[in-house]
Amino acid sequence: MLVIDQKSLNLRSCLGLDKIDRLYHATYVWTLQGATPTTIDATDLIQFAGAGGFDTAITVGAYNDSTHVESSVGANDSSGNTPKNSKFISQAGGTGGDSQVDIGGGTVDLDTISTANCPLKINFSHGTSVTTTSHILYGYNGSSQSTGPTEVDLRMAEQADANWTEAEGSGAPVTVNDDTTATSHDYFFLISASPTTVGEKTAFKIRDELTYT
Amino acid sequence: MKANAKYTAEELLNEAGFDGDKLGKVRVRIGGIPVNKPDHVINIPAGSDKIDVLVGQDTKELSFDGDNDERQVSDGARASLDAEGAAIEATDEHKEAESDEDEDEDDEDEKAVKSDKSK
């Protein structure tokens, strides 16, 4: 059984959210982790912003210094929750060619980040125990899954990955490790985005696909 | 062996009492996941007490001694993930090289056109 869920993202610039209806007894819950987790509801947005926090811009060519959940009416839903952020630093500048990331305490190897420090948590649950396989995560422009987000450089990784993936379009996804049978499956991701030009970026969604049996 | 951790198929098979050399030769299922490579990384979700490991006609139960507080990565899984990362880098470098070649070809085409036009 294939299930799909997706969210729209925005570079502050902005972020839009879209959810596909749940199938059968399967449920997806997306969370922006932090000192207190913020559930990303159906109409919420994931906002990537600058060092100044919510609603501050990211310089062209630079990567996000903060991540937030924005409501459909523009409110900061993650305010007070100290949300996690992962900022792309390098693709292969770390130990033995590992990628590097900054989660707020300076540059470290990507594969040293714990699940608790990953900004995005996706939980997939089902009424009965199921395995999950063929699980992928990628960004796209919101209309064509094979096309990456418009005017955005996107890097994503599953927790414990050694290197970032330029997960732009369905042909270049993050490949998520298979899970053995369980009723609840937690997945943890690092995500970082950079605008390639000036202006608001709205053609930007993240899509999660997996097969459960 | 604890749950809330990533292991390779070979590590899980060995822990269950099977030899990894059966992979690719007979049907192998680890916790319901079909496997045919020893370095296939598998996550054991938190809360898992035990899983069935099937090799050919034989099935054994693999039990876990509780959960890791923080998701762990076994040595074998770490090596496999590092290799995947190296493959990503190789792909990126190949794409960059192709892009550079395309740009060079474009330059040559442009020169040829200019040269023709000047005749």
Side-chain angles (χ1 to χ4, degrees):
Chain A
M1 176 69 65
L2 172 66
V3 292
I4 300 166
D5 201 2
Q6 63 185 28
K7 302 287 185 230
S8 298
L9 283 86
N10 220 331
L11 229 51
R12 203 9 162 155
S13 310
C14 249
L15 200 67
L17 199 69
D18 185 20
K19 268 192 181 181
I20 292 179
D21 288 338
R22 305 295 189 259
L23 300 175
Y24 300 90
H25 302 291
T27 303
Y28 266 104
V29 177
W30 295 51
T31 303
L32 178 60
Q33 299 202 114
T36 303
T38 307
T39 300
I40 305 167
D41 294 324
T43 58
D44 287 340
L45 317 179
I46 303 174
Q47 183 189 105
F48 294 112
F54 186 73
D55 272 358
T56 61
I58 304 171
T59 302
V60 170
Y63 285 82
N64 51 294
D65 284 299
S66 61
T67 307
H68 313 270
V69 176
E70 178 179 346
S71 74
S72 58
V73 294
N76 184 358
D77 277 1
S78 49
S79 176
N81 291 347
T82 317
K84 299 293 183 181
N85 181 72
S86 53
K87 179 177 183 177
F88 170 86
I89 298 298
S90 80
Q91 186 61 28
T95 308
D98 285 353
S99 290
Q100 295 174 300
V101 64
D102 184 355
I103 59 169
T107 297
V108 296
D109 284 355
L110 184 70
D111 60 6
T112 64
I113 305 302
S114 64
T115 55
N117 282 317
C118 291
L120 181 62
K121 175 184 173 182
I122 297 177
N123 174 267
F124 173 77
S125 62
H126 192 276
T128 58
S129 288
V130 295
T131 63
T132 65
T133 58
S134 303
H135 188 173
I136 58 174
L137 184 77
Y138 60 92
Y140 71 110
N141 65 0
S143 55
S144 169
Q145 292 160 24
S146 61
T147 304
T150 302
E151 297 175 343
V152 174
D153 280 338
L154 177 65
R155 310 265 178 165
M156 297 200 287
E158 184 186 8
Q159 187 266 339
D161 280 354
N163 294 90
W164 294 100
T165 297
E166 285 189 77
E168 301 168 3
S170 56
V174 171
T175 301
V176 183
N177 296 136
D178 297 337
D179 263 23
T180 55
T181 183
T183 57
S184 180
H185 301 261
D186 289 332
Y187 307 99
F188 300 91
F189 300 99
L190 300 101
I191 178 168
S192 190
S194 169
T196 61
T197 62
V198 173
E200 188 174 354
K201 310 302 172 197
T202 57
F204 188 3
K205 288 190 176 182
I206 284 182
R207 185 176 175 96
D208 187 274
E209 302 178 5
L210 60 85
T211 296
Y212 70 88
T213 54
Chain B
M1 191 174 261
K2 291 190 173 186
N4 194 25
K6 300 190 182 206
Y7 302 96
T8 63
E10 185 172 28
E11 289 172 328
L12 292 167
L13 284 173
N14 290 340
E15 188 70 16
F18 288 112
D19 286 328
D21 60 357
K22 296 288 188 180
L23 283 163
K25 300 174 183 176
V26 299
R27 182 185 185 213
V28 175
R29 295 284 185 275
I30 298 176
I33 297 172
V35 174
N36 55 27
K37 294 181 180 179
D39 60 352
H40 183 146
V41 176
I42 296 170
N43 182 58
I44 308 299
S48 300
D49 293 326
K50 55 189 176 183
I51 58 173
D52 286 336
V53 180
L54 181 153
V55 177
Q57 301 295 320
D58 298 323
T59 301
K60 295 184 181 181
E61 193 174 86
L62 176 57
S63 296
F64 298 100
D65 185 21
D67 290 345
N68 289 301
D69 291 335
E70 166 60 34
R71 182 167 294 177
Q72 297 297 309
V73 179
S74 70
D75 290 343
R78 179 74 270 150
S80 184
L81 290 171
D82 286 348
E84 286 179 16
I88 291 173
E89 293 311 301
T91 302
D92 288 347
E93 288 174 5
H94 179 68
K95 286 180 181 175
E96 278 189 32
E98 282 190 332
S99 177
D100 291 342
E101 285 180 10
D102 289 342
E103 289 180 8
D104 291 342
E105 288 177 1
D106 290 342
D107 290 342
E108 291 177 2
D109 289 341
E110 194 174 315
K111 289 177 185 174
V113 168
K114 286 181 179 177
S115 176
D116 288 341
K117 284 183 177 178
S118 66
K119 288 181 181 174

